[in-house]
C-alpha cells in the first residue's frame, strides 16, 4: 500500500462530514503518517549536522502551508482521495495547449470550455502562465515568478475563475512547476547578481573554471546548438553559473536545504490556485554530482519523494507528473522504487511509446515497438502513463540500442535513417520535419514538426494528392487510436485534433527563430473549427474521428488503467496487437497496421484470444461485424481496429 492509499483509508470515515475540525484532524493524521518518511528522506539528503535546524523549520512550515489552502480546496483534496486513483480512469482524456496560442488569454480558455466538452476533454495542461523575461524565455520555462500570472494571460482573478469553472465542468487541471531552474531575472537571481552570498548559494556558482570543467567532463549538453556547455559566465559577479538548459535558466542548488524549503512554499502557492496535477518539469536534472551525467541520480529521486510526501501532507488530492524524457529503464524509476514505490510520481510521460510509434511509422514495422514494450518493467499499480503522439517539445529518439541491434539493425545507421526520414532528407518520405539540436560530433539529433506535417499531410496538401491526404489522415487517426486505447491518460496536443500543419511564423520572431520547436506549436485554427460541419475537409474528418474514439474510450471501462495491457505477437512485422483485459475474461483487442499495404493476421491468433467466434469479429470503432471467408484477417493500410468479444 502506498501513502495515498493509507490516507484514503484514514480519510474515509470523515468524508461524509467535512467540517473544519475534521479537516484539521485529518491533516494532523497525515503529518503523523508521513513525518517518519519525510524525516528519513530529509536526513538522507541533508545529513550534515549544520542542517539540523532546517528539519525543524520544515516541520513548522507544514501546518503554516496547510493554513494557506482554502477550505474549498481542502475539501476537494478529500473528494479526490475518495475517488481512488481517479487519474487511471477511462474518462481521462487530456489536451495540452499554450494559452495565448489557443485563445489569447485565461478568459479565452474559459470561453472555450464548450469546445473541450464537445471533443470530450477532461484534463487540461496549460503551458506556463507566470511572469517570464521579455526576450527569450523558453515558452515561459524561464520563470520570473512561480505565482504571479503574466499580464499577457490575464490576472490571478482570471486564473481562479478559470480553475473554478474547470472544476464545475469536471475538467482536471495540470500546471508546470519548473523545479530545476529559475530565470536569471528571478528575485533570487537578481540578488545573487548584486553579490548576495545567501542567494548565490541558491544556485551553482564558481569563481573560475575548475569546478565547471570537472562537471563538464561528464555532463552532456541539452541544447548543444543554441546553448552549448553547462555554465555561463556572468561578468557582473565574475562567476560561472550552472545553466544546463539555456544560458538564462539558472539551475537551483538543492544541496542547500533552504532552496528546498522555499521551493516547497512556491509549490504550495502554485497548487493553491486549483491545480490537480503538478507537472514536475525537468525533474531528472534535480541533483548534480561531478563525475556523473547529473541525470536520474538517486538523490534526485529522494528529493522528488520528499517534495511528494510534504505536498501530500498539505494537499493530499494533488498528484505529480514526472517529466522525465529519459531511457525507458530510467523513466519507470520515477514511479518510485523499493520503499518509495508508488510514493514518488503517480504519472509519467510514456516517452518510450511516443518515440517507438514514430519509429514504427518510419520503418512501417512494429518489431522494435513490441520488443521494447515486452521488455519494459511493469509499473506500480497506483500509477499511470501519459500517452501522447507528440508534445510541445522535440521528438527524441529514445530507443534502446541493444534492441535495435537485436532485431538486426545498426543503431547508428538506424538513428540516421529516422532523422533523414522525418527531416526532409529522403525524397520519398512524406514527412516535413526539422532536425533539432543536431550534434555533428555525436550524430545525435531530435525532430520537430507538427503531428500532421510529420505524418505527411502538409506535403500531400501542398501537392494536392488526394490519396496521400487520405493516408496522412489515417495515420493521424491510427496513432491517436493507439494513445486512446493504451493504458494511461491520452494527451492530445491542441490543434492535432484538426490536423494543424507546421507553423513557420516563429522564424519572424527574434526570440523564437533559433528554436525550431516553435514550428510544432501552431496557433489554434478557429477558422477550421468554424467549418467543422463541412464533412470532407481533413480537419473535419480528423476531428470527427477523434471525437468518436474519445467517446468510445470513455464508455469502455476496460480502458481504465489497471495494468491490464497485454501485448501479443501478431506474427506479422507490420502489425501491432495488444489487449486490454478484464477480470471477467472480457477484453478489447487493438490491432493496427503500420504498413502502406494491406496486411494479414492468422485468424487463429484472434480465435484463441476469443475475438473471433463462429467466423465473425466485431470492431467497436466502426460498430461493424465482419464475417471471415478464410483463415486470415486482412487489415487495411493504417487501419486500427478495436475488437470486442462477440
Ligand atoms: C522541459 C520542457 C521544455 C523546456 C525544458 C526546460 O523539458 O518540456 O519545453 O525547454 O523543460 O525548462
Amino acid at each position: 500500500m502506498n501513502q495515498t492509499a493509507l490516507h484514503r483509508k484514514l480519510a474515509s470515515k470523515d468524508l461524509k462530514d467535512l467540517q473544519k475540525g475534521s479537516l484539521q484532524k485529518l491533516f494532523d493524521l497525515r503529518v503523523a503518517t508521513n513525518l517518519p518518511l519525510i524525516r528519513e528522506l530529509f536526513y538522507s539528503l541533508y545529513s550534515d549536522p549544520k542542517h539540523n535546524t532546517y528539519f525543524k523549520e520544515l516541520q513548522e512550515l507544514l501546518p503554516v502551508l496547510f493554513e494557506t489552502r482554502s477550505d474549498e480546496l481542502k475539501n476537494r483534496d478529500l473528494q479526490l482521495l475518495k475517488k481512488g486513483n481517479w487519474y487511471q480512469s477511462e474518462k481521462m482524456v487530456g489536451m495540452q495547449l499554450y494559452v495565448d496560442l489557443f485563445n489569447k488569454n485565461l478568459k479565452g480558455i474559459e470561453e472555450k470550455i464548450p469546445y473541450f466538452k464537445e471533443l470530450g476533454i477532461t484534463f487540461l495542461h496549460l503551458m506556463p502562465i507566470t511572469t517570464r523575461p521579455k526576450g527569450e524565455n523558453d515558452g515561459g520555462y524561464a520563470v520570473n515568478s512561480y505565482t504571479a500570472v503574466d499580464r499577457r494571460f490575464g490576472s490571478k482573478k482570471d486564473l481562479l475563475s478559470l480553475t473554478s469553472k474547470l472544476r464545475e465542468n469536471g475538467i482536471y487541471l495540470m500546471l508546470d512547476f519548473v523545479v530545476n531552474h529559475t530565470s536569471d531575472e528571478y528575485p533570487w537571481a537578481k540578488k545573487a547578481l548584486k553579490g548576495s552570498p545567501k542567494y548565490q548559494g541558491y544556485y551553482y556558482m564558481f569563481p573560475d573554471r575548475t569546478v565547471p570543467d570537472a562537471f563538464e567532463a561528464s555532463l552532456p549538453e541539452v541544447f548543444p546548438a543554441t546553448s552549448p556547455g553547462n555554465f555561463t559566465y556572468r561578468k557582473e559577479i565574475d562567476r560561472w553559473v550552472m545553466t544546463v538548459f539555456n544560458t538564462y535558466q539558472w539551475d537551483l542548488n538543492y544541496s542547500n536545504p533552504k532552496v528546498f524549503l522555499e521551493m516547497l512554499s512556491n509549490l504550495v502557492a502554485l497548487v493553491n490556485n486549483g491545480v490537480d496535477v503538478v507537472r514536475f518539469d525537468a525533474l531528472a536534472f534535480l541533483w548534480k554530482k561531478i563525475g556523473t551525467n547529473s541525470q536520474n541520480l538517486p538523490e534526485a529521486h529522494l528529493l522528488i519523494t520528499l517534495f511528494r510526501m510534504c505536498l501530500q501532507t498539505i494537499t493530499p488530492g494533488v498528484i505529480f507528473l514526472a517529466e522525465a524524457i529519459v531511457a525507458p529503464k530510467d523513466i519507470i524509476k520515477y514511479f518510485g522504487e523499493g520503499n518509495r514505490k508508488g510514493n514518488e510520481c503517480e504519472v509519467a510521460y510514456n516517452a518510450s511509446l511516443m518515440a517507438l510509434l514514430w519509429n514504427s511509422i518510419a520503418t512501417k514495422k512494429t518489431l522494435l515497438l513490441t520488443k521494447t514494450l515486452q521488455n519494459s518493467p511493469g509499473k506500480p499499480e497506483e500509477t499511470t502513463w501519459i500517452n501522447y503522439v507528440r508534445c510541445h517539445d522535440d521528438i527524441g529518439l529514445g530507443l534502446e540500442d541493444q534492441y535495435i541491434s537485436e532485431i538486426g539493425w545498426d543503431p547508428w545507421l538506424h538513428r540516421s535513417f529516422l532523422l533523414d526520414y522525418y527531416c526532409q532528407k529522403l525524397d520519398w518520405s512524406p514527412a516535413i520535419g526539422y532536425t533539432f539540436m543536431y550534434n555533428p560530433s555525436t550524430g545525435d539529433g531530435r525532430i520537430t514538426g507538427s503531428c500532421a506535417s510529420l505524418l505527411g499531410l502538409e506535403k500531400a496538401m501542398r501537392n494536392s494528392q488526394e490519396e496521400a491526404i487520405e493516408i496522412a489522415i489515417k495515420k493521424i487517426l491510427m496513432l491517436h487510436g493507439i494513445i486512446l486505447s493504451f493504458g494511461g491518460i491520452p494527451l492530445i496536443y491542441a490543434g492535432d485534433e484538426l490536423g494543424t500543419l507546421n507553423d513557420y511564423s516563429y522564424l519572424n520572431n527574434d526570440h523564437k527563430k533559433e528554436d525550431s520547436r516553435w514550428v510544432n506549436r501552431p496557433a489554434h485554427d478557429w477558422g477550421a473549427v468554424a467549418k467543422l460541419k463541412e464533412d470532407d475537409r481533413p480537419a473535419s474528418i480528423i476531428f470527427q474521428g477523434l471525437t468518436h474514439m474519445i467517446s468510445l474510450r470513455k464508455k469502455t471501462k476496460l480502458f481504465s488503467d489497471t495494468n491490464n495491457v497485454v501485448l501479443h505477437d501478431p506474427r506479422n512485422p507490420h502489425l501491432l496487437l495488444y489487449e486490454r483485459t478484464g477480470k471477467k475474461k472480457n477484453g478489447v483487442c487493438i490491432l493496427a497496421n503500420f504498413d502502406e499495404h494491406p496486411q494479414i493476421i492468422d485468424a487463429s491468433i484472434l480465435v484463441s484470444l476469443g475475438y473471433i467466434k463462429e467466423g465473425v469479429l466485431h470492431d467497436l470503432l466502426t460498430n461493424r461485424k465482419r464475417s471471415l471467408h478464410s483463415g486470415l484477417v486482412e487489415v487495411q493500410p493504417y487501419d486500427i481496429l478495436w475488437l470486442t468479444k462477440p
Side-chain angles (χ1 to χ4, degrees), residues 29-40:
L29 277 176
R30 287 196 299 277
V31 174
T33 8
N34 280 18
L35 205 59
L37 277 173
I38 293 175
R39 182 182 292 115
E40 193 187 314

Side-chain angles (χ1 to χ4, degrees), residues 250-408:
W250 287 15
D251 288 67
L252 287 164
N253 182 354
Y254 280 99
S255 68
N256 177 351
K258 196 86 191 118
V259 173
F260 167 71
L261 291 173
E262 297 229 37
M263 287 299 279
L264 179 64
S265 302
N266 280 333
L267 173 61
V268 174
L270 178 81
V271 300
N272 279 349
N273 290 313
V275 174
D276 303 301
V277 185
V278 175
R279 180 181 183 274
F280 239 53
D281 180 62
L283 81 181
F285 296 81
L286 283 185
W287 202 269
K288 324 291 201 258
K289 212 191 270 174
I290 292 175
T292 72
N293 67 0
S294 296
Q295 289 182 30
N296 310 307
L297 292 182
E299 291 86 346
H301 287 284
L302 294 174
L303 182 63
I304 298 158
T305 315
L306 179 60
F307 268 116
R308 178 78 206 101
M309 291 299 99
C310 292
L311 191 74
Q312 182 176 62
T313 309
I314 303 161
T315 69
V318 178
I319 61 166
F320 273 21
L321 161 73
E323 194 255 336
I325 312 302
V326 294
K329 63 173 186 351
D330 291 320
I331 296 183
I332 202 95
K333 296 185 184 153
Y334 288 89
F335 291 131
E337 287 185 306
N339 60 0
R340 289 177 291 101
K341 192 169 168 191
N343 283 333
E344 197 167 325
C345 295
E346 286 81 355
V347 194
Y349 280 105
N350 201 344
S352 321
L353 177 70
M354 187 271 305
L356 287 159
L357 289 175
W358 290 104
N359 179 75
S360 305
I361 288 285
T363 58
K364 307 188 176 90
K365 294 197 179 75
T366 56
L367 298 170
L368 193 61
L369 171 59
T370 310
K371 188 176 185 75
T372 312
L373 294 180
Q374 258 158 358
N375 286 290
S376 299
K379 59 178 178 56
E381 62 182 22
E382 301 83 7
T383 61
T384 199
W385 293 114
I386 289 273
N387 292 315
Y388 61 120
V389 173
R390 61 95 169 194
C391 66
H392 68 292
D393 279 330
D394 45 289
I395 296 171
L397 304 178
L399 315 169
E400 298 277 3
D401 282 357
Q402 183 200 335
Y403 300 145
I404 302 179
S405 306
E406 279 173 17
I407 57 174

Side-chain angles (χ1 to χ4, degrees), residues 15 27 70 74 79 86 106 121 129 140 146 192 264 307 310 346 357 382 427 462 478 510 565:
L15 281 170
F27 170 73
S70 70
K74 285 178 182 169
Q79 298 301 346
W86 50 271
L106 293 165
I121 300 301
I129 50 170
Y146 286 95
L264 179 64
F307 268 116
C310 292
E346 286 81 355
L357 289 175
E382 301 83 7
D427 284 346
R462 214 186 266 169
M478 179 181 78
D510 283 344
V565 179

Side-chain angles (χ1 to χ4, degrees), residues 47 131 192 216:
S47 53
T131 51
E216 292 285 15

